[in-house]
Amino acid sequence: NTGSWDITQPLTPPSYILLTMALAMKLGLAPLHFWLPEVIQGSTMTTAFIITTWQKIAPMSLIFLTMNNLSTSIFLLMGILSSLVGGWGGLNQTQTRKIMAYSSIAHLGWMATISSIMTNILIMNLLIYLIMTTSVFLSLIISKSKTIQDTTSTWTLSPTLTIIMLLSLLSLGGLPPLTGFIPKWLIMEE
């Protein structure tokens, strides 16, 4: 339409809707999230780690670049829906990979919500999410924990690893005195 491949150039509204939906599907935002928990559960711990961290950087950078042209209301709706689906979906899970998948859906919901308002909080939230998810997955990989019940035997392997895993999971959940609460607090403030 414009004779250009530059993604930041103004495009037609249907192309931005397609771009929004494609990025939402790649990230695993609700209502396009159904693939994420099943794919992560069916993969190895290392592959699940890559899907929940490294694979989120490219779509989030595209959202960062094109946010001025994307639909704010669609991102707010998908963000709220993802936060609810991720929070509720992870409650009754015993498999650590599924818990991390629903955690990813919820965190990306928070990021989608703030993406149209303040991109600097989006970047900070993404970095904190990547660091916390990396620490949880590395702890799970080291302890070979596939279920919550497996994590109970980690104390005999390494008490320090158990404490790090506990604090990382609580921080990932957004418990107030820990690091994971700060981005949520800033998003609610904005």
Side-chain angles (χ1 to χ4, degrees), residues 55-126:
Q55 292 294 316
K56 306 298 183 196
I57 296 172
M60 289 306 282
S61 62
L62 287 174
I63 288 172
F64 180 78
L65 288 173
T66 59
M67 196 59 232
N68 293 335
N69 300 319
L70 298 178
S71 173
T72 303
S73 58
I74 290 175
F75 266 101
L76 285 173
L77 180 66
M78 283 192 299
I80 292 168
L81 190 60
S82 294
S83 297
L84 293 173
V85 166
W88 285 333
L91 285 178
N92 201 22
Q93 299 299 323
T94 58
Q95 301 291 322
T96 54
R97 285 173 291 193
K98 274 204 176 178
I99 291 171
M100 293 304 291
Y102 282 111
S103 171
S104 175
I105 293 168
H107 277 87
L108 290 166
W110 284 91
M111 287 182 239
T113 303
I114 198 62
S115 64
S116 60
I117 301 167
M118 292 194 75
T119 52
N120 57 350
I121 295 178
L122 166 70
I123 293 170
M124 182 199 68
N125 196 352
L126 180 63

Side-chain angles (χ1 to χ4, degrees), residues 5 33 60 89 93 111 117 127 149 160 164 166 186 190:
W5 283 98
H33 69 284
M60 289 306 282
Q93 299 299 323
M111 287 182 239
I117 301 167
L127 289 174
Q149 191 172 7
T160 308
I164 289 171
L166 172 69
L186 290 174
E190 290 303 318

Side-chain angles (χ1 to χ4, degrees), residues 161-174:
L161 180 65
T162 306
I163 292 169
I164 289 171
M165 192 183 327
L166 172 69
L167 288 174
S168 297
L169 282 169
L170 290 174
S171 182
L172 204 55

